[in-house]
Amino acid sequence: MIQSYEPISVLIPIKNGSQYLDQFKNTMTSNLRDFDEIIAVNDGSTDSTSDFLNNWKESSSNLKVVQTNGIGLVSSLNLGLKHSSHKWIARFDIDDIYENDRINVQRELIKPDTVAVFSDYDFIDEHGNKHGLLTSPILPSPTAISLVNSVRTPHPGVLFNKDAVINVGGYREEDFPAEDLSLWLRLAKIGKITSAPNCLLHYRIRKGSISSSKRDQALKKKYEVLKKISIQKQDFIYCLENIKEIFEIYENYSKSEQRKILLIQDLLVTNRFFNDSTKNKLKIISHGMALARNPVNIKELFVLNHEKNKRYKLRQSFID
């Protein structure tokens, strides 16, 4: 487990984020200690972001500001990596909201072979209204196969090992706007990715964000990245062979029904991705049918689908 005194670097790329900077500064005050640091990559902002960061820097030894001229998200992230002093890096986004203990909770989950830690998260809109929760897989192999759906490992909620990220090639421009999925897939091949069973990130769905404006492009790139890098089959086999034990572990955490349902969904999609045997598909369906005998699970599945549809309509409203 990581030592409590080991410092953390916060990496945050910003472009025209002035309306969220007060909120972000307050979040950092709660999350960081004196020996942690913030790397703010200000990528050609044309609003008051630069003035805010420069004023903040004068009163804080934690903050490093890297000024760029519109080099784009991927280049900004890689530049931020280079400027980060510490072994562990926590990604934040300026428009999202975080729990005050986010970094400490994730830090406690790091083991010698850990390369990344995620968490549960929920969705909010521009007014702070909630649009559903997505639970994390918690364990390494379930987290690894969840990458096939690429929704349970949110980029702005990760804590990762800098050396591991550099060793696998960092963020890749050719994989944008699925550059985060590409990185997680490559990291999963050299170490363990895991997640905290706590809602630490409140992910904002808003007009103009990359996740909203480039959604169709991101989905297309997602399949290209999955085909190019792929899920590790041993993680799929492990989850299938040990699914009962995984379910028992989930019973120790909140929202255990949702975690089980999402694991079944991930297994079905992964089985199809590998074009694997009908026998394995039937095993997965059998476990899913067993869950369906519990009315609580049926209700949870309905809630999951209902909230997913609400988020889809919200994003579509930005396009329409």
Side-chain angles (χ1 to χ4, degrees), residues 6-176:
E6 184 160 352
I8 297 291
S9 295
V10 166
L11 172 55
I12 178 162
I14 308 172
K15 185 162 188 175
N16 296 334
S18 59
Q19 70 185 101
Y20 302 109
L21 278 167
D22 275 325
Q23 166 195 290
F24 175 70
K25 184 178 179 180
N26 291 334
T27 298
M28 289 299 95
T29 301
S30 302
N31 265 275
L32 297 190
R33 299 153 306 171
D34 291 341
F35 45 83
D36 295 327
E37 68 175 5
I38 306 166
I39 309 297
V41 183
N42 183 24
D43 189 28
S45 294
T46 55
D47 62 2
S48 60
T49 293
S50 296
D51 291 337
F52 187 102
L53 292 175
N54 288 333
N55 289 333
W56 184 5
K57 185 179 178 181
E58 289 180 3
S59 61
S60 174
S61 60
N62 299 80
L63 179 63
K64 296 181 183 177
V65 180
V66 182
Q67 301 283 0
T68 68
N69 295 315
I71 61 177
L73 177 61
V74 173
S75 295
S76 294
L77 289 167
N78 284 325
L79 183 60
L81 284 176
K82 291 180 181 178
H83 282 271
S84 298
S85 305
H86 305 314
K87 180 178 179 180
W88 289 94
I89 296 177
R91 272 282 288 113
F92 280 71
D93 271 349
I94 196 68
D95 54 338
D96 296 324
I97 298 176
Y98 298 87
E99 293 299 310
N100 292 335
D101 60 347
R102 176 206 148 174
I103 291 177
N104 284 335
V105 170
Q106 291 178 300
R107 189 199 326 266
E108 291 299 317
L109 297 177
I110 295 176
K111 297 178 180 178
D113 56 355
T114 302
V115 291
V117 183
F118 297 89
S119 74
D120 297 356
Y121 72 112
D122 62 13
F123 298 85
I124 58 174
D125 60 24
E126 292 184 271
H127 306 290
N129 301 313
K130 293 192 175 183
H131 292 268
L133 169 76
L134 273 183
T135 54
S136 61
I138 303 177
L139 306 170
S141 286
T143 304
I145 71 160
S146 78
L147 297 174
V148 77
N149 281 316
S150 69
V151 294
R152 302 176 74 189
T153 47
H155 191 185
V158 68
L159 176 70
F160 59 59
N161 183 295
K162 176 183 176 180
D163 293 337
V165 169
I166 292 173
N167 286 343
V168 298
Y171 292 94
R172 302 200 303 204
E173 192 71 54
E174 65 268 26
D175 293 330
F176 178 82

Side-chain angles (χ1 to χ4, degrees), residues 12 24 64 77 89 104 108 117 164 193 219 225 233 243 245 255-256 270 278 283 291 303:
I12 178 162
F24 175 70
K64 296 181 183 177
L77 289 167
I89 296 177
N104 284 335
E108 291 299 317
V117 183
I193 59 174
L219 288 172
V225 167
K233 193 163 184 177
I243 191 168
E245 290 81 0
K255 303 292 287 185
S256 62
T270 308
T278 302
K283 284 182 181 178
L291 289 181
V303 170

Side-chain angles (χ1 to χ4, degrees), residues 174-210:
E174 65 268 26
D175 293 330
F176 178 82
E179 76 289 338
D180 52 342
L181 173 62
S182 167
L183 180 56
W184 313 152
L185 287 166
R186 286 177 280 131
L187 283 176
K189 295 183 185 298
I190 67 167
K192 301 295 186 184
I193 59 174
T194 185
S195 49
N198 312 68
C199 184
L200 303 177
L201 162 67
H202 308 285
Y203 182 90
R204 194 183 302 272
I205 303 173
R206 65 178 181 88
K207 188 175 183 178
S209 68
I210 290 175

Side-chain angles (χ1 to χ4, degrees), residues 236-252:
F236 168 72
I237 297 301
Y238 175 88
C239 289
L240 187 57
E241 292 181 348
N242 296 277
I243 191 168
K244 291 183 179 179
E245 290 81 0
I246 295 170
F247 280 179
E248 289 175 1
I249 292 172
Y250 285 171
E251 288 290 341
N252 297 315

